[in-house]
Amino acid sequence: MATPSSPFAFLGDLFNRVGERLQPPPWVVHEIQHRAVLFLNHVLQQEPEAQQRLIRQQGNVVRFQWRFITMQLVATPAGLLDLAPEGATADLTLTVMQDSPIDLVRSGLRGDKPEVQIVGDVQLAAEVNWLVDHVRWDVEDDLARLIGDVPAHAIGNGARRVVGALRQFVGDRAGRAAASSGRE
């Protein structure tokens, strides 16, 4: 009996084909990267220790790569991030090795870090790892500024329950898949 194929495999293949053929214009890429930097700086400003660590790395350029997506960031003297100038040489290159966006989302929901190839400055890599491990966006605090503390807390609790259920669902499916592949 043939094993049915996963719809996730189809979605991953579709993402590959669309991503290879449809490239956004450079101005759209720049604008999205600029918005990402603004968001990252907003999150960094909530963590003074993170800013102090970035001040020590000022001027260093980190290049992030995943498939056809690339972004270069430079640490500023204020302990924040900015887009690196065009043609800047990266001190550190971080390449996400998982090709499938579905697998990337699954591992994120399980709370796992993706497999990353690290090339370059070891000290800078350690600082980036610290930032990834310790800096979190306080969504509830930002939401409270817009709608108040009580509604923000209620939405935060609901979101935590949904994320917990998704993690459990993904973990259960991964466990069943591992168990079934072990029997064959």
Side-chain angles (χ1 to χ4, degrees), residues 77-91:
L80 298 173
L81 299 170
D82 198 2
L83 290 175
E86 199 66 35
T89 303
D91 299 295

Side-chain angles (χ1 to χ4, degrees), residues 10-20 66-68 99 101:
F10 168 75
L11 290 174
D13 190 41
L14 178 67
F15 182 80
N16 289 340
R17 286 187 302 220
V18 170
E20 290 169 358
W66 178 62
R67 301 169 44 91
F68 50 85
D99 279 342

Side-chain angles (χ1 to χ4, degrees), residues 24-38 71 83:
W27 67 268
V28 170
V29 172
H30 179 75
E31 202 54 38
I32 290 170
Q33 289 177 345
H34 184 70
R35 301 285 183 225
V37 168
L38 289 174
M71 185 168 168
L83 290 175

Side-chain angles (χ1 to χ4, degrees), residues 90-133:
D91 299 295
L92 175 65
T93 301
L94 302 172
T95 306
V96 176
M97 301 307 289
Q98 283 179 299
D99 279 342
S100 168
I102 302 298
D103 290 342
L104 200 57
V105 169
R106 269 192 210 150
S107 65
L109 285 173
R110 283 193 308 265
D112 299 338
K113 289 183 188 176
E115 182 182 335
V116 175
Q117 178 186 23
I118 302 167
V119 177
D121 186 340
V122 176
Q123 182 61 38
L124 182 56
E127 294 293 2
V128 170
N129 187 52
W130 186 92
L131 292 171
V132 169
D133 286 344

Side-chain angles (χ1 to χ4, degrees), residues 22 32 53 55 68 74 85 92 108 110 120 136 146 163 168:
L22 296 177
I32 290 170
R53 287 173 176 266
I55 287 172
F68 50 85
V74 62
L92 175 65
R110 283 193 308 265
R136 297 286 176 262
L146 296 174
V163 169
Q168 182 179 1

